[in-house]
Amino acid sequence: MSTIGFVGLGNMGFPMASRLAEAGHRLIVEDRDQGAVQRFQDQHPGSRTAIDVKAWQDADIIITMLPSSDIVEAVLSGGVAAAASLNTLFIDMSSSEPIRSRNLGQRLEQQGMRYLDAPVSGGVRGAQNGQLAIMVGGNWQDLDQAKDIFDVLGKSVIHVGKAGSGHAAKALNNLVSAASVAATVEALRVGERFGIDPATMTEVLNASSGRSNTSENKVAQFMLSGTFGSGFPIGLMTKDIKIATALADSLGVEAPFSHDCETIWQSVLDAGHGADDHTRMYEHLATPTPAFNDERQIHA
Ligand code: NAD
C-alpha cells in the first residue's frame, strides 16, 4: 500500500480520495476549503492533513484533482513540489492544459521527480463507484507504479502517449461531449416545437443512431427530471472546450465546428451561468416557443 498525497477534495476529489483510503492506502489530504478536509478526516480517521508542508515528503505519490492548470501549478510551486522527496510520482488527474502539462512534467523531471497526467471521465457517480475512464500521459514505468491506484478509481485505463497526451485526450473527449449536449438539447427543442414530447424524442434517440451519453445518461436523469444534478458545472465544461480549441489553434488544425461549440457555451458562461450544472443547458439553450398550431412558424 502507498502513502498518497491528495490535493483537491471537491466533487470529484473527495470520492476518489475516499475510495483510495477505503482500499487501504495511507492518505495525506489538502484542500483550501478546510471544511472539506475536516469532513474527509471525520469519514477517514486514519488520514492525515498537510498542515505542515513537510508532510508531503512522506508521500510516494501526490495526486492533484483541481480546477485548472493555473491552480495545479500554483499548488505545486507553492511548496508541495519543494517539500516532496526525490523520485515522488506526481499525478495530475485534473482536466488541465496539455502543453502546460508537458512542460510541467519536464520541470518536475529536472528536479528529480516523475509526472503523469491522468484525467478522468465518468462524472461524480463514476468517481463514487470506481467506474471512471482514466486517460494517461507519461511513461509506462510510472503508469505501472500507479496501476493499483487507477484500478481502485476506474474501470478502464488507457495509455494515450507522452506527458500531456492524457490531458489532450480529455479535452477532446469533453469537446465531443459538449457538442453532443448542445446538439441533443437543440433537437429536443425543435421536436418540442413541432409537438413531440421531449421524453418521446429521447426514446427515439436512444433507440436510434442519434443516441449518446447525453441522450442515455443525462436527458431523463438530469434535464427532464429538473434535478440538474450531474455535479459538473458549465464553467468547467467551457474550460475543457477552450482547452481543445486552443490545442487545435496551436497545432494549426482548422476546427470550425469546435469553435462554434465554444461560442455557444461561452455565451452561456458570459450570461453568468458558469456555476450552473452543465445539464442546465436544457434551460439556457431554450428559445421562446410559439404555439405549435401557429402554422406560420413552421417552415416546411
Ligand atoms: P470542484 O470545484 O468541485 O473541486 C475542486 C477543489 O479544489 C475544491 O474542493 C477547491 O476547494 C479545491 N481548490 C481550489 N483551489 C485550490 C488551491 N489553491 N489549493 C487547494 N485546493 C484548492 O471540481 P471537481 O468537479 O472536483 O473537478 C476537479 C477537476 O476534475 C477539474 O479539472 C474538472 O474539470 C475535472 N473533472 C470534473 C468532473 C465532474 O463531473 N465534476 C468530471 C471529470 C473531470
Side-chain angles (χ1 to χ4, degrees), residues 53-199:
V53 79
K54 287 192 193 123
W56 298 115
Q57 75 190 16
D58 295 337
D60 310 305
I61 292 174
I62 297 178
I63 296 175
T64 41
M65 194 56 178
L66 293 163
S68 66
S69 282
D70 280 347
I71 296 176
V72 170
E73 289 176 15
V75 164
L76 294 192
S77 63
V80 176
S85 300
L86 280 181
N87 213 32
T88 300
L89 176 58
F90 285 91
I91 309 179
D92 183 19
M93 302 195 77
S94 330
S95 303
S96 303
E97 298 171 43
I99 295 172
R100 288 175 72 169
S101 302
R102 189 160 285 179
N103 294 337
L104 174 63
Q106 282 167 358
R107 286 202 301 279
L108 288 169
E109 272 176 30
Q110 283 159 6
Q111 294 169 40
M113 324 268 186
R114 294 169 298 130
Y115 172 85
L116 290 174
D117 48 304
V120 301
S121 180
V124 173
R125 204 173 290 169
Q128 289 165 340
N129 301 336
Q131 292 293 305
L132 296 169
I134 304 175
M135 43 222 97
V136 186
N139 72 44
W140 279 108
Q141 294 92 320
D142 295 334
L143 173 49
D144 263 357
Q145 187 194 342
K147 189 72 173 50
D148 284 352
I149 287 172
F150 292 157
D151 286 344
V152 172
L153 302 176
K155 65 177 187 327
S156 63
V157 180
I158 301 170
H159 185 231
V160 184
K162 292 193 288 189
S165 307
H167 283 149
K170 167 64 187 175
L172 294 168
N173 173 76
N174 276 26
L175 168 67
V176 174
S177 172
S180 152
V181 168
T184 304
V185 167
E186 288 185 5
L188 293 176
R189 291 303 183 193
V190 175
E192 190 177 28
R193 191 172 295 189
F194 197 70
I196 303 171
D197 184 86

Side-chain angles (χ1 to χ4, degrees), residues 1-4 20-26 60 148 152:
M1 289 295 160
S2 305
T3 300
I4 302 172
L20 293 171
E22 282 153 17
H25 294 289
R26 294 172 293 275
D60 310 305
D148 284 352
V152 172

